């Protein structure tokens, strides 16, 4: 199977509470924040690796994983890390972050799918900076491919995937024939969540994503990394979503500590009156 | 004159999902900018009953599309019809449920329209609309403008009060199903494993009791009696879900459910930003944690530093004593 995985570089989500709004009010000041790969995209990469191997012998790659990012030169770090983890090739689409929105990213990916012809595109369900949650669904429509969003489990069948999706009422299982678009949720990296056609049903993965061994980090420097431009892929690309203003949410201040459950119930009944 | 279109959602029992009423409120708020009225579109295998229910909310029209292929929701079957009907409107909105979030970006792509997801507010400025969206796990709100002729949006349920019936009865009109593309023949709904619970729906409950990793295998044993005493829904942190103590759809947070009940009780939850993103709009927050430095106390109205395995049963007993 050939899998295309998109990776976005975001400011470190664990420090999101430290983000500042620029004085102009129309930008988020990310200075001083560390960049990381969007966690959902790391999970998508892990899922792609699991789908292109036998879980028992992961060193032998049984398919191809191509990673792609849209962003400035610095984003190549994200791609190199993915190559070290096991991806075969990388593509960077050169663009500044503020020249991109969900519509343009989906259009660019559509074009890449046209030349790369993967069997599957795997994306994170959302990028945790904009929390916008749209690229995968848009891409599926542009390609006229089936979509399975918020995937918690994937099982490869002949020419199809059985995908367990996390929905409001529980787990909804879809069968999508390839080629297809799948966006992944948190649980996709649990030990029994992804099975390629080569991996035995009894196999259990380690929880979470795999890490690149040191030699692989060196070897990754030699793996191919191509660049393209946004204008090449989306001629006349223009934004259709513009941020006018950013603001911090109203701060919630710490209340009081109660000494025991009796005081707690008193407060809830007589002060807040929520009981 | 282009107006707003609400895409309704039907529950398993054929009734309108209460979540839909948040999108109706959104459309009502937006309508001054888009010609003054809104319509509602409902799709399903049999959607007549739902359409009749929706006729009482002041819509210009309720449009119904019935077809056996729509009996089970899939984006591939729904999007073509929603887009075809939607293209004569200037705003197409649904509630940001898992269905709304799956469907609406696909509809937007079909209309080559910009999309604003999970909106906390819609702002009317003359004839233009702006959308206020939480970003960075709720640590910033961005106000965005969409420059395509048609706008597609989803409304965050916890930020829009459910629209109240307005009396009157909107005309109901049938619309044909639009033949879907190749994608629809390549997707099949295999099963829905519904999580059965006696408790109220998490996103609609007046009180939510949530548990974290600290509850271990005793998650339900400890929380169920308290939830019972409070008439509360039960939620969970990601760590509790990942560890298998609670089902996936119990998760509250940036990537789980967004809740804003009158009372939220966080038990054995540290208060990571991704968790807080899902519950900080609650009216009153109570935290029970044995670590006095846990970040959850920074946003809790009432904090109790205690071992939960003692405090929760004691709290349950106290509630029963005072409110028998
Ligand atoms: C991309 C991404 C998305 C995420 N999305 C979400 C999300 O949607 N929702 C979410 O919840 N998390 C989410 N997380 C995870 C989040 O970062 C935290 O890891 C998680 O919320 C921690 O769960 P917890 O508080 O139950 O566990 P812990 O952080 O382990 O906290 C357990 C707490 O229990 C207390 N405790 C232990 N024993 C007792 C006792 N006997 N009595 C009382 N207190 C006790 C401890 O003091 C501690 O504070 C996400 C993470 C990432 C990277
Ligand atoms: N600039 C980008 N570069 C690469 N992938 C992206 C980019 N923006 C979005 N994506 C992909 O689209 C997914 C959904 O993002 P979003 O719809 O923006 O929340 C992400 O998890 C990424 O896989």
């Amino acid at each position: 199977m050939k899998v295309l995985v998109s990776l976005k570089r975001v400011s470190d989500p664990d420090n999101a509470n430290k983000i500042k709004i620029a004085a102009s009010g129309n930008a988020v000041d990310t200075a001083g924040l560390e960049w990381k790969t969007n966690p959902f995209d790391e999970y998508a990469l892990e899922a792609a690796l699991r789908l292109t191997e036998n879980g028992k012998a992961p060193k032998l790659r049984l398919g191809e994983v191509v990673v792609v990012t849209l962003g400035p030169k610095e984003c190549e770090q994200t791609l190199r890390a993915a190559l070290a983890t096991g991806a075969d090739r990388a593509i960077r689409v050169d663009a500044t972050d503020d020249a991109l929105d969900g519509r343009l990213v989906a259009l660019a990916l559509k074009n890449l799918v046209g030349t790369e012809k993967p069997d599957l595109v795997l994306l994170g369900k959302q990028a945790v900076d904009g929390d916008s949650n749209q690229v995968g669904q848009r891409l599926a429509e542009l390609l006229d491919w089936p979509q399975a969003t918020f995937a918690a489990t994937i099982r490869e069948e002949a020419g199809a995937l059985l995908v367990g999706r996390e929905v409001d009422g529980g787990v909804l299982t879809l069968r999508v024939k390839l080629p297809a678009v799948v966006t992944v949720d948190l649980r996709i990296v649990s030990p029994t969540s992804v099975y390629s056609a080569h991996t035995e049903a009894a196999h259990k993965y380690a929880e979470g994503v795999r890490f690149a061994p040191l030699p692989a980090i060196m070897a990754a420097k030699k793996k191919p990394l191509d660049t393209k431009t946004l204008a090449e892929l989306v001629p006349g690309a223009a934004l259709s979503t513009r941020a006018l203003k950013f603001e911090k949410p109203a701060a919630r201040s710490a209340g009081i500590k109660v000494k025991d459950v009796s005081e707690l119930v008193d407060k809830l009944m007589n002060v807040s009156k929520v009981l | 004159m282009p107006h707003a279109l609400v895409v309704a959602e039907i529950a398993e029992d054929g009734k309108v999902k209460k979540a839909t009423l948040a999108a109706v409120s959104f459309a009502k708020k937006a309508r001054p900018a888009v010609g003054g009225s809104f319509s509602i579109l409902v799709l399903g295998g049999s959607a007549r009953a739902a359409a009749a229910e929706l006729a009482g909310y002041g819509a210009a029209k309720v449009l119904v599309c019935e077809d056996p292929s729509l009996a089970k929701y899939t984006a591939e079957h729904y999007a073509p019809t929603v887009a075809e009907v939607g293209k004569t409107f200037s705003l197409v909105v649904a509630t940001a449920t898992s269905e709304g979030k799956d469907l609406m970006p696909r509809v937007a792509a079909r209309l080559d329209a910009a999309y604003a997801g999970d909106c906390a507010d819609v702002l009317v400025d003359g004839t233009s609309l702006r959308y206020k969206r939480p970003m960075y796990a709720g640590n910033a709100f961005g106000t965005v403008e969409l420059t395509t002729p048609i706008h597609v949006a989803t409304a965050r349920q916890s930020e829009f009060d459910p629209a109240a019936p307005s009396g009157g009865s909107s005309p109901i009109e049938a619309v044909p199903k639009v033949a879907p593309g190749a994608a629809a023949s390549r997707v099949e709904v295999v099963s829905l494993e519904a999580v059965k619970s006696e408790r109220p729906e998490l996103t609609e409950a007046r009180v939510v009791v949530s548990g974290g990793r600290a509850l271990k295998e005793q998650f339900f044993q400890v929380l169920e009696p308290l939830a019972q005493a409070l008439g509360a829904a039960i939620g969970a942190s990601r760590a509790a879900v990942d560890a298998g103590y609670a089902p996936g759809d119990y998760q509250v947070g940036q990537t789980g459910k967004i809740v804003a009940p009158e009372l939220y009780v966080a038990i054995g939850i540290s208060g990571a930003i991704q968790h807080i993103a899902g519950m900080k709009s609650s009216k009153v927050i109570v935290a029970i944690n044995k670590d006095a430095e846990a970040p959850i106390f920074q946003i809790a109205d009432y904090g109790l530093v205690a071992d939960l395995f003692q405090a929760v049963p004691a709290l349950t007993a106290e509630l029963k004593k005072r409110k028998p």
Side-chain angles (χ1 to χ4, degrees):
Chain A
M1 183 176 343
K2 176 169 175 180
V3 190
L4 184 70
V5 181
S6 59
L7 304 169
K8 186 180 188 191
R9 163 203 84 151
V10 297
S11 44
D12 183 357
D14 290 323
N15 281 319
N17 52 347
K18 296 200 186 112
I19 66 155
K20 291 191 226 47
I21 311 295
S24 61
N26 61 8
V28 168
D29 181 4
T30 48
L33 290 187
E34 229 181 283
W35 296 105
K36 284 212 169 141
T37 307
N38 177 34
F40 290 108
D41 295 342
E42 283 187 312
Y43 303 161
L45 175 61
E46 173 65 28
L49 294 171
R50 291 186 189 184
L51 284 170
T52 50
E53 70 189 15
N54 174 348
K56 247 191 187 159
K59 275 198 185 132
L60 185 66
R61 307 302 314 158
L62 301 171
E64 192 183 8
V65 175
V66 180
V67 288
V68 53
T69 195
L70 291 87
K73 178 95 178 150
E74 303 95 88
C75 298
E76 289 185 1
Q77 263 183 26
T78 303
L79 295 176
R80 290 285 172 209
L83 291 172
T85 316
D88 300 282
R89 280 195 299 121
I91 302 166
R92 180 174 70 85
V93 179
D94 187 53
T96 56
D97 292 321
D98 54 13
L100 293 169
D101 60 21
R103 180 179 159 273
L104 293 175
V105 173
L107 285 167
L109 290 177
K110 181 202 170 192
N111 192 317
L112 279 180
V113 167
T115 44
E116 290 292 331
K117 303 201 172 20
D119 304 295
L120 172 67
V121 185
L122 270 173
L123 310 88
K125 74 163 179 178
Q126 73 197 59
V128 301
D129 48 3
D131 285 335
S132 131
N133 191 343
Q134 59 172 319
V135 171
Q137 298 88 315
R138 295 190 84 107
L139 176 63
E141 173 61 33
L142 294 174
L143 294 165
D144 195 11
W145 285 9
Q147 73 186 47
T149 54
F150 324 144
T153 58
I154 304 176
R155 193 175 291 270
E156 184 186 358
E157 297 179 333
L161 298 177
L162 202 60
V163 182
R165 303 180 50 228
E166 293 208 3
V167 297
D168 290 343
V171 177
L172 180 81
T173 304
L174 289 183
R175 179 176 287 112
V176 289
K177 289 207 182 115
L178 298 173
V181 174
V182 175
T183 79
V184 303
D185 213 323
L186 299 168
R187 247 73 66 185
I188 200 72
V189 294
S190 11
T192 57
S193 55
V194 181
Y195 289 89
S196 75
H198 314 284
T199 301
E200 284 168 26
H203 182 76
K204 279 193 174 175
Y205 276 95
E207 173 76 41
V209 299
R210 66 195 68 189
F211 293 98
L214 261 181
I217 296 175
M218 298 310 290
K221 296 199 171 123
K222 296 200 195 82
K223 287 188 180 176
L225 192 164
D226 294 332
T227 25
K228 298 192 185 292
T229 64
L230 184 62
E232 228 175 285
L233 298 179
V234 190
L239 288 177
S240 58
T241 302
R242 269 198 203 86
L244 301 173
K245 183 169 101 174
F246 287 96
E247 55 203 305
K248 293 286 277 183
R252 210 184 160 110
S253 45
I256 57 162
K257 295 255 167 69
V258 291
K259 63 178 190 307
D260 55 23
V261 295
S262 153
E263 189 189 348
L264 176 59
V265 175
D266 278 342
K267 296 283 190 213
L268 294 175
M269 289 179 85
N270 307 319
V271 182
S272 310
K273 300 193 168 42
V274 284
L275 292 185
Chain B
M1 187 64 142
H3 299 271
L5 179 69
V6 173
V7 182
E9 193 173 331
I10 310 188
E12 292 282 290
D13 62 3
K15 296 218 175 82
V16 175
K17 267 209 183 151
K18 195 179 165 209
T20 296
L21 301 179
V24 172
S25 295
F26 185 104
K28 284 185 157 176
K29 187 158 188 207
R31 70 182 155 178
V34 291
S37 81
F38 72 95
S39 291
I40 305 177
L41 170 64
V42 57
L43 302 90
S46 62
R48 304 265 145 161
E53 231 185 295
L54 290 164
Y57 289 90
K61 277 181 196 168
V62 174
L63 305 164
V64 203
C65 181
E66 278 193 331
D67 191 276
S69 67
L70 301 172
K72 283 186 179 143
Y73 162 80
T74 59
E76 294 80 354
H77 278 284
Y78 274 48
T81 301
V82 174
E84 181 61 27
V85 174
K87 76 180 187 199
T88 57
F89 290 84
S90 45
L91 168 65
V92 186
V93 61
T95 303
T97 56
S98 55
E99 186 176 309
K101 290 190 284 192
D102 184 61
L103 173 64
M104 298 307 270
R106 188 156 186 141
V107 169
R110 215 176 157 91
L111 293 167
D112 196 25
Y115 169 75
D118 211 14
C119 297
D121 203 1
V122 55
L123 311 167
V124 175
D125 179 4
T127 56
S128 59
L129 289 173
R130 310 243 151 100
Y131 305 87
K132 191 168 161 185
R133 303 187 49 250
M135 298 178 180
Y136 296 90
N139 287 286
F141 281 103
T143 300
V144 299
E145 87 179 333
L146 309 180
T147 57
T148 49
I150 303 174
H151 296 178
V152 179
T154 51
R156 181 174 270 206
Q157 193 183 348
S158 63
E159 301 291 335
F160 291 88
D161 289 334
S166 59
S169 182
S170 318
I172 298 176
E173 214 173 86
V175 294
K177 188 197 169 187
V178 173
S185 62
R186 293 202 280 126
V187 62
E188 172 201 342
V189 178
V190 177
S191 62
L192 172 66
E193 252 176 77
V195 177
K196 295 244 166 13
S197 165
E198 303 294 301
R199 307 249 52 89
E201 167 101 38
L202 193 50
T203 50
E204 287 163 15
R206 210 184 62 83
V207 180
V208 173
V209 168
S210 268
R213 194 202 310 265
L215 281 140
K216 307 239 168 65
E217 280 76 13
Q218 293 151 65
F219 190 90
F220 285 103
Q221 199 185 316
V222 172
L223 293 190
E224 192 73 51
L226 177 62
Q228 197 87 44
L230 286 166
I234 298 182
S237 73
R238 173 187 175 186
V241 172
D242 281 356
Y245 309 149
D249 79 321
Y250 278 47
Q251 183 173 313
V252 170
Q254 181 189 18
T255 51
K257 300 243 167 87
I258 310 291
V259 301
E262 300 265 300
L263 174 61
Y264 187 91
V265 189
I267 297 168
I269 291 179
S270 60
I273 59 161
Q274 295 95 347
H275 187 80
I276 289 175
M279 44 66 81
K280 71 173 169 195
S281 303
S282 306
K283 198 166 149 239
V284 174
I285 297 174
V286 169
I288 302 177
N289 196 305
K290 70 176 180 189
D291 173 10
E293 303 302 318
I296 190 78
F297 288 124
Q298 289 165 20
I299 60 147
D301 299 280
Y302 302 114
L304 178 62
V305 180
D307 185 311
L308 73 92
F309 294 104
Q310 265 118 50
V312 176
L315 176 59
T316 310
E318 185 76 18
L319 286 165
K320 284 195 182 140
K321 195 170 87 195
R322 301 236 216 149
K323 300 198 78 186

